[in-house]
Amino acid sequence: MSSPRARTSTSSLHDVMERRDPNVAIFDSPGKGRGLKATKEFWAGDVIFSEPSLAAVVFDSLAERICHSCFRRQEKLQKCSQCKFAHYCDRTCQRAGWAEHKQECGAIKAYGKAPNENIRLVARLMWRLDKEGSVVSDMQLITVEELEDHVADMQEDEIKELKVDIHNFLDYWPRNSKQHTIDDISHIFGVINCNGFTVSDQRGLQAVGVGLFPNLCMVNHNCWPNCTVILNHGNQSAVNTMFHSQRRIELRSLGKIAEGEELTVAYVDFLNLSEERRRLLKTQYFFDCQCDYCKNGTKDDLKLAGREVDGVKPSEQQVKEATDYCFQKLETMDKARLDGDYHQVVKICRDVIDRTEPVLADTHIYLLRMWSTLSEVQAYLQYFNDAAEYSRKMVEGYMKLYHPNNAALGMAAMRAGVNHWQAGLIEVGHGMVCKAYAILLVTHGPTHPITKDLEVKPRFSQHQTFTKLKAVLSPHLV
């Protein structure tokens, strides 16, 4: 997602916007260009607008494990008999995805293989726009042509990658499809690069693909936003293909929003230091963040703080040495995790925690990374007491840093609750799950699959609820 800059003026789209969505209006946001503001008051958990993807594709690395229609993870998927690339849950999903896959199927067969995810997404977008025109629904607020591509702002290595993708795209694009200029193709690639939004699986636990949601592109960034974006894929068990696979996002309010207030979301994780957030935003989205949290470095002191015990703090040198040691070990830990060497991950985390926990505060972002990783891996290895302890510490740290209705905090509390239940600490686990439920009701809404899993219904005992959550989380712990 990016800080969008349209090629048309604010006034040229204003009437269209007013007609299509009474909840929001386009306005000139000081220092940001165009943005969206609320035209009425909203409260925590309100859906401000929802939007289906114009097009979306599964990541290359997950092409055989994720349904290409509903984006559900399945053990056994049915392969498209023609191109041998696309995979589906069943015939229902295959029929639901055929409109997107029809031309892609023939192109893959003719090309001899499936191109990378960027090329596949650009092709799907162009086929749809060629067939349906620039505006494909009454709810669409902006066209792809009007989104800024930032191609002129790309670095030399990015331009080289773009040229390679365009070259491969031209080889892949069928000659019997409408032909486009290099500039038009380049524009679509640029739009995807800075506006593509990560698509999760049906429960929102893992990123499995990328899609384009043009209305969302109009919402500007703030490191401490008043809205959040969640994917809600609709009724995955519906027989009617119309409702089976929707891949829609919902823009939800995190708290009270006054009429006329700008709507904002966070493009990067607030857990990063302000300098790192600014670097990421500049690199990926081509703008300098001027929010108060970046300008003032708000909470940066907590993120690199030393541990205070009985009024005594460690020296700056001790904190620096512990911080540097943590940072050095993060890369080694991440590599061991990617290699599946989980016992080595545990060894590295324990070593770092033993050496730095007496020095670093429970809000120190590198120590939080270690606690988070160790709790997940220990849960996977079924050392539940350790998993419970470190996930509890992680949640306590998150609560001091994140917005109280942050989705990451809600998911962390849910994991911690399950870990405590597995360790036999039922009451503590139940309390954490209740906390998670309160947060996710705001960020995900009552109908989202993950919130439904947290719902404690009269016919379910606590044991049944936690067993269900365990089954949901287990494939995603590592």
Side-chain angles (χ1 to χ4, degrees):
M1 207 164 48
S2 79
S3 179
R5 302 289 184 268
R7 296 179 174 187
T8 57
S9 67
T10 299
S11 59
S12 67
L13 287 171
H14 186 272
D15 292 339
V16 175
M17 186 73 167
E18 286 288 302
R19 187 175 71 248
R20 290 178 180 164
D21 197 330
N23 289 344
V24 294
I26 300 170
F27 81 117
D28 289 320
S29 178
K32 297 180 182 179
R34 190 192 49 200
L36 293 185
K37 65 179 179 180
T39 56
K40 68 178 191 178
E41 188 175 76
F42 292 100
W43 293 85
D46 284 347
V47 177
I48 299 170
F49 68 73
S50 62
E51 175 185 19
S53 63
L54 266 183
V57 295
V58 174
F59 287 143
D60 296 337
S61 59
L62 297 173
E64 296 181 0
R65 287 178 281 170
I66 301 294
C67 174
H68 288 218
S69 178
C70 72
F71 282 44
R72 180 195 291 264
R73 176 184 287 275
Q74 295 278 29
E75 289 297 320
K76 293 183 179 180
L77 293 170
Q78 298 178 9
K79 189 186 299 185
C80 173
S81 61
Q82 297 298 312
C83 68
K84 313 295 185 185
F85 172 73
H87 288 69
Y88 301 98
C89 298
D90 48 35
R91 289 191 178 275
T92 302
C93 273
Q94 189 166 11
R95 284 194 295 268
W98 181 241
E100 276 193 300
H101 181 57
K102 181 178 180 180
Q103 289 172 290
E104 175 187 72
C105 186
I108 291 173
K109 285 195 296 181
Y111 190 54
K113 62 179 181 179
N116 69 42
E117 60 212 31
N118 286 342
I119 294 172
R120 288 189 287 116
L121 181 54
V122 169
R124 282 193 167 198
L125 262 174
M126 296 183 79
W127 277 317
R128 182 167 189 187
L129 296 174
D130 287 347
K131 180 181 178 181
E132 302 182 40
S134 296
V135 179
V136 301
S137 77
D138 289 340
M139 296 305 295
Q140 187 179 330
L141 307 173
I142 189 170
T143 67
V144 174
E145 290 84 1
E146 291 164 338
L147 291 171
E148 183 56 72
D149 55 34
H150 290 290
V151 170
D153 300 317
M154 288 183 177
Q155 300 296 316
E156 185 177 348
D157 58 337
E158 294 173 317
I159 291 294
K160 287 182 180 178
E161 291 179 8
L162 174 62
K163 289 180 177 178
V164 170
D165 274 345
I166 291 174
H167 174 79
N168 291 333
F169 174 86
L170 291 171
D171 287 343
Y172 171 68
W173 187 252
R175 297 196 180 278
N176 60 353
S177 292
K178 179 181 177 181
Q179 300 302 300
H180 297 272
T181 67
I182 297 295
D183 284 346
D184 287 342
I185 298 168
S186 176
H187 173 67
I188 301 293
F189 272 105
V191 166
I192 295 299
N193 179 60
C194 59
N195 290 280
F197 187 80
T198 303
V199 179
S200 66
D201 60 9
Q202 76 275 15
R203 295 191 181 276
L205 294 174
Q206 183 187 19
V208 297
V210 61
L212 187 70
F213 301 82
N215 295 357
L216 181 61
C217 299
M218 303 179 73
V219 183
N220 282 321
H221 164 82
N222 193 294
C223 290
W224 198 261
N226 56 17
C227 297
T228 189
V229 182
I230 191 67
L231 285 125
N232 192 342
H233 294 310
N235 185 358
Q236 297 294 317
S237 62
V239 175
N240 189 329
T241 58
M242 179 179 178
F243 302 107
H244 191 262
S245 175
Q246 299 184 40
R247 288 202 308 268
R248 70 172 185 268
I249 60 95
E250 294 174 344
L251 185 71
R252 306 182 70 92
S253 173
L254 292 177
K256 183 180 177 181
I257 298 176
E259 181 180 344
E261 185 177 344
E262 180 171 13
L263 305 172
T264 58
V265 294
Y267 297 178
V268 296
D269 190 353
F270 181 71
L271 225 57
N272 291 302
L273 295 170
S274 55
E275 182 180 357
E276 176 64 6
R277 294 199 305 271
R278 279 184 151 179
R279 185 192 68 78
L280 291 170
L281 291 166
K282 184 68 172 179
T283 302
Q284 180 64 34
Y285 304 110
F286 306 100
F287 70 93
D288 296 305
C289 184
Q290 299 298 321
C291 78
D292 290 341
Y293 278 75
C294 275
K295 288 192 292 186
N296 300 327
T298 307
K299 298 200 177 188
D300 279 359
D301 55 341
L302 290 176
K303 295 174 186 177
L304 293 178
R307 180 179 297 274
E308 182 176 338
V309 180
D310 298 328
V312 179
K313 297 180 181 180
S315 68
E316 289 185 7
Q317 183 61 31
Q318 287 176 307
V319 174
K320 183 181 184 306
E321 288 175 356
T323 298
D324 290 345
Y325 185 71
C326 260
F327 183 75
Q328 291 165 10
K329 291 294 183 177
L330 284 174
E331 185 176 353
T332 308
M333 179 200 72
D334 287 338
K335 183 180 184 305
R337 185 174 180 173
L338 287 172
D339 292 342
D341 190 351
Y342 301 132
H343 292 286
Q344 180 65 14
V345 172
V346 172
K347 182 179 178 181
I348 293 168
C349 288
R350 284 195 180 281
D351 171 61
V352 172
I353 289 169
D354 288 345
R355 289 184 57 170
T356 63
E357 197 174 58
V359 179
L360 302 179
D362 65 353
T363 54
H364 195 289
I365 54 175
Y366 299 156
L367 186 57
L368 284 170
R369 278 276 305 277
M370 292 294 172
W371 285 339
S372 174
T373 302
L374 187 54
S375 68
E376 290 185 16
V377 172
Q378 291 292 65
Y380 181 77
L381 297 174
Q382 299 189 10
Y383 293 103
F384 300 123
N385 286 320
D386 279 356
E389 176 188 357
Y390 293 116
S391 60
R392 175 186 55 78
K393 291 180 177 181
M394 175 187 67
V395 170
E396 289 173 353
Y398 280 6
M399 289 174 65
K400 298 174 184 177
L401 295 175
Y402 275 128
H403 186 289
N405 282 333
N406 186 284
L409 174 59
M411 296 299 291
M414 182 178 71
R415 291 181 184 278
V418 173
N419 288 339
H420 279 76
W421 172 73
Q422 290 175 313
L425 304 169
I426 304 300
E427 293 304 319
V428 177
H430 183 256
M432 286 187 168
V433 165
C434 288
K435 178 174 183 58
Y437 183 65
I439 295 171
L440 296 177
L441 268 180
V442 173
T443 61
H444 290 57
T447 64
H448 193 279
I450 203 69
T451 315
K452 298 294 284 184
D453 287 335
L454 287 172
E455 211 170 40
V456 180
K457 298 180 179 179
R459 67 178 183 274
F460 288 152
S461 67
Q462 284 187 18
H463 177 81
Q464 288 172 309
T465 301
F466 280 114
T467 301
K468 189 176 182 183
L469 288 175
K470 178 187 174 185
V472 170
L473 289 174
S474 293
H476 304 276
L477 288 174
V478 180

